[in-house]
Amino acid sequence: MNAADVVCVDCGAPAVRAGFCATCITDYAPPATVHTIEFPQPTELLNMNDRNPWYVERRRARAWRSAVYLYAIQQIRPPRACGPSLVELTLPVVDRRRRDPHNFAPTLKHAVDGLVDAGLWPDDTPEWVRTLEPTLDVRRDRLVSITITPRSTT
């Protein structure tokens, strides 16, 4: 069997790559992959109601951004760019006190910045990244979970 004998699995035309002809290969898209990154909480959660000095907030923000960057590179193999995606962040809390999840938006912001630093998207504009409000989960193990789900651009 030589290269001329290989035909497209869709239309039967001569195949150029991966069993598809030049027309059908452009229509083929690999299945969308949902990525989940789990890692230990690097520092306290960033909360919009905190009244800390700027240097404390900056240190915490840097810790979150760096941790997400490092764990994204380790856990998404091979490191690759994602298309437009929806990001969901699950944050650990140790008790069942009432909290407003949207007050933890600064944590989400720095997590998304870490994902951009890891090369998952060229930018964190709405064209590439949409986010859900952070979810608070009672967990003693203090594991943070980030779920990245591909979304259609239509």
XYZ file of all heavy atoms in Angstrom, residues 82-86 121 126-130 148-153:
139
model
N -5.449 26.736 24.987
C -6.854 26.358 24.928
C -7.574 27.369 24.047
O -7.129 28.502 23.906
C -7.482 26.379 26.318
S -6.779 25.206 27.469
N -8.677 26.960 23.486
C -9.509 27.910 22.770
C -10.342 28.681 23.783
O -10.077 28.651 24.981
N -11.358 29.369 23.314
C -12.242 30.084 24.240
C -12.786 29.117 25.294
O -13.201 28.004 24.979
C -13.358 30.604 23.335
C -12.707 30.706 21.983
C -11.741 29.563 21.923
N -12.735 29.547 26.552
C -13.042 28.628 27.653
C -13.868 29.289 28.740
O -13.904 30.507 28.869
C -11.741 28.114 28.285
O -10.928 27.505 27.328
N -14.477 28.436 29.540
C -15.189 28.831 30.745
C -14.377 28.313 31.931
O -14.019 27.139 31.972
C -16.583 28.209 30.755
C -17.458 28.517 31.948
C -17.855 29.987 31.963
C -18.701 27.644 31.926
N -4.080 30.869 27.152
C -4.725 31.830 26.254
C -3.763 32.980 26.015
O -2.902 33.268 26.844
C -6.016 32.382 26.866
C -6.948 31.343 27.338
C -7.736 30.539 26.570
C -7.198 30.962 28.692
N -8.453 29.687 27.372
C -8.142 29.926 28.684
C -6.717 31.391 29.932
C -8.614 29.328 29.833
C -7.181 30.797 31.071
C -8.123 29.778 31.022
N -12.756 38.699 27.373
C -13.950 37.847 27.234
C -13.972 37.011 25.959
O -14.664 36.006 25.890
C -15.108 38.840 27.248
C -14.581 40.032 27.965
C -13.116 40.096 27.634
N -13.206 37.407 24.958
C -13.096 36.607 23.738
C -12.514 35.227 24.046
O -12.895 34.233 23.441
C -12.200 37.347 22.748
C -11.879 36.572 21.498
C -10.853 37.287 20.628
O -10.442 38.412 20.947
O -10.442 36.678 19.627
N -11.615 35.150 25.026
C -10.929 33.907 25.361
C -11.417 33.266 26.644
O -11.480 32.045 26.746
C -9.420 34.145 25.480
C -8.802 34.512 24.193
C -8.458 35.761 23.766
C -8.497 33.631 23.118
N -7.949 35.702 22.499
C -7.959 34.399 22.080
C -8.615 32.263 22.948
C -7.536 33.844 20.878
C -8.201 31.708 21.760
C -7.670 32.497 20.736
N -11.710 34.070 27.660
C -12.003 33.535 28.993
C -13.309 34.106 29.524
O -13.502 35.320 29.543
C -10.868 33.879 29.984
C -11.156 33.277 31.341
C -9.532 33.425 29.465
N -14.166 33.221 29.956
C -15.358 33.610 30.716
C -15.254 32.891 32.055
O -14.764 31.772 32.140
C -16.644 33.176 30.009
C -16.806 33.736 28.623
C -17.688 34.958 28.614
N -17.640 35.638 27.339
C -18.561 35.513 26.390
N -19.585 34.717 26.574
N -18.433 36.186 25.272
N -11.455 24.010 33.612
C -11.433 24.772 32.366
C -12.227 23.983 31.330
O -11.822 22.881 30.957
C -9.992 25.004 31.885
C -9.183 25.699 32.990
C -9.969 25.795 30.585
C -7.705 25.632 32.784
N -13.340 24.544 30.898
C -14.230 23.869 29.964
C -14.252 24.639 28.642
O -14.501 25.845 28.650
C -15.665 23.817 30.524
O -15.620 23.253 31.838
C -16.576 22.999 29.650
N -13.987 23.972 27.531
C -14.066 24.664 26.227
C -15.488 25.148 25.985
O -16.451 24.496 26.398
C -13.676 23.595 25.220
C -13.014 22.537 25.997
C -13.575 22.592 27.374
N -15.610 26.278 25.340
C -16.930 26.796 24.986
C -16.936 27.140 23.501
O -15.903 27.426 22.922
C -17.305 28.002 25.827
C -16.436 29.195 25.662
C -16.908 30.366 26.521
N -15.958 31.442 26.461
C -15.928 32.369 25.511
N -16.817 32.338 24.539
N -15.021 33.324 25.504
N -18.107 27.094 22.937
C -18.212 27.417 21.509
C -18.146 28.938 21.345
O -18.514 29.688 22.253
C -19.523 26.878 20.926
O -20.603 27.543 21.523
N -17.678 29.370 20.226
C -17.539 30.803 19.974
C -18.766 31.390 19.326
O -18.805 32.561 19.013
C -16.311 31.070 19.084
O -16.453 30.318 17.884
C -15.041 30.703 19.799
